[in-house]
Amino acid sequence: MLLSFLALLALPACIFASKDNTHERFVKLAAENNGVIKLNTDLFNLLTTSKRNWSSSIQFTALDKRRRCSPCKEFDPSWAAVAKAWSTAPRSERNQHFFATLDFDDGQQIFQKLGLASAPVVYNYAPTDGPRKQAPGKVNPISYDFSQGFDAEPLAAQLSAITPIPIPYRAPINWALWGTGGTFGLVSVLALRFLAPIFRNRWTWAAITVITSLVMTSGFMFTRIRGMPMTAANGQWIAPGFQNQRPFVSFLPDADLGSPIAKLPRSAKNPDLSVDGRNPHLILGPCFVLQGQKQRLSI
């Protein structure tokens, strides 16, 4: 009778000792694998036991090449990076939350029990005891939302709402992006050194201005937008009607306008008012006449 009474008194102590041993086991397993506990069916049941004062985030995946799960392989590095970042958190908080992975080949019964038909899936289990225990009636795990993709940064941000403290994750330096930007900047500086005289030349901008004006006023853009054929089926290049125009018509005034305009640099420098050295204002006069002629041909 006395022995039975002593055994009954020792039962709570045994339960607490067993819980502590289980917790220390998970702490050791997490430390051995950069913060990720590799689960099987038995370890999963222990980690998600109904009496626990710790929380956990569990990745359900299928990494074996026979499963051909490309999303699993894409997401696993991000999971490992966030778990490794959590392993650098202070020990007092770090040991209150665990990151774990259960592969399909190591826990098919668990996949069937949870009704998982695809992977990867992340479930977050809150504590059932202690100050962080879940609210009464909320027994189901919280599923991770993959709407933001498989990147580590949104994963760490979302899981930080469950962990005791925010996950100290920092995205690694994107050396490829910095290298591309540096190369582009260097090439731009070198190119600018050789192209600077061209861009500083006023006649370069004059040519750009004239060409743009010709394209916009000759009807070329009008015919391109409407998809007009170059000529009619019978070879006629003047379209009937007031608001119709063939692309071929826009080339004729452009050629007539471009010929005298091309002489502007030479005529501007030549004070002699000869036939080829006319004052630019005298040369531009017929341009307006030719532009009106183009509009008349389009009618």
Side-chain angles (χ1 to χ4, degrees):
M1 183 68 179
L2 180 59
L3 292 177
S4 300
F5 180 73
L6 293 176
L8 184 62
L9 292 177
L11 183 60
C14 295
I15 294 176
F16 284 117
S18 177
K19 184 183 294 186
D20 291 340
N21 291 336
T22 301
H23 182 266
E24 290 300 325
R25 182 181 180 184
F26 287 132
V27 171
K28 183 179 179 181
L29 290 174
E32 291 175 350
N33 194 30
N34 290 327
V36 179
I37 302 174
K38 184 175 176 61
L39 298 178
N40 53 30
T41 301
D42 295 334
L43 286 176
F44 174 83
N45 291 330
L46 280 176
L47 187 62
T48 59
T49 182
S50 59
K51 298 294 183 180
R52 60 182 185 274
N53 57 5
W54 61 80
S55 57
S56 61
S57 297
I58 303 177
Q59 172 195 206
F60 299 88
T61 186
L63 295 175
D64 193 291
K65 62 181 180 180
R66 296 174 300 173
R67 306 303 175 188
R68 299 180 180 179
C69 182
S70 298
C72 297
K73 296 179 180 179
E74 184 179 353
F75 176 67
D76 189 65
S78 297
W79 180 259
V82 173
K84 186 175 182 180
W86 178 247
S87 66
T88 63
R91 180 181 177 85
S92 57
E93 286 81 14
R94 179 179 71 234
N95 293 341
Q96 298 304 315
H97 185 89
F98 298 104
F99 282 81
T101 295
L102 178 62
D103 195 279
F104 176 78
D105 294 306
D106 298 326
Q108 296 187 21
Q109 296 179 356
I110 303 300
F111 274 73
Q112 295 174 1
K113 177 182 177 181
L114 298 177
L116 300 178
S118 61
V121 174
V122 174
Y123 280 167
N124 300 290
Y125 294 83
T128 59
D129 194 10
R132 297 175 51 240
K133 67 178 181 180
Q134 56 190 354
K138 294 184 178 180
V139 296
N140 294 326
I142 303 173
S143 179
Y144 173 70
D145 184 9
F146 282 95
S147 61
Q148 295 182 339
F150 294 154
D151 293 336
E153 192 166 0
L155 174 65
Q158 192 172 145
L159 295 186
S160 293
I162 303 170
T163 54
I165 60 174
I167 300 174
Y169 174 78
R170 292 185 179 180
I173 299 176
N174 192 340
W175 294 109
L177 180 62
W178 280 96
T180 302
T183 302
F184 179 78
L186 180 60
V187 171
S188 300
V189 171
L190 294 176
L192 185 62
R193 178 180 179 183
F194 294 101
L195 297 178
I198 299 177
F199 288 119
R200 292 175 180 174
N201 193 315
R202 60 180 179 175
W203 294 113
T204 299
W205 297 104
I208 294 175
T209 303
V210 170
I211 293 174
T212 303
S213 301
L214 292 177
V215 171
M216 295 301 176
T217 60
S218 65
F220 177 77
M221 294 297 295
F222 172 80
T223 57
R224 293 292 295 177
I225 293 174
R226 300 187 64 179
M228 300 290 290
M230 185 65 68
T231 59
N234 57 2
Q236 185 179 6
W237 49 273
I238 299 179
F242 181 74
Q243 293 184 345
N244 293 325
Q245 179 178 330
R246 302 289 183 188
F248 187 79
V249 175
S250 64
F251 297 148
L252 296 180
D254 290 347
D256 292 337
L257 288 170
S259 178
I261 291 176
K263 299 179 181 180
L264 288 180
R266 182 160 52 119
S267 60
K269 295 180 180 180
N270 190 353
D272 183 16
L273 296 179
S274 60
V275 176
D276 291 334
R278 299 291 184 182
N279 189 286
H281 299 87
L282 299 178
I283 296 178
L284 287 175
C287 294
F288 296 98
V289 178
L290 292 173
Q291 185 71 4
Q293 180 70 9
K294 174 187 74 70
Q295 296 295 338
R296 187 183 66 80
L297 292 175
S298 300
I299 299 176

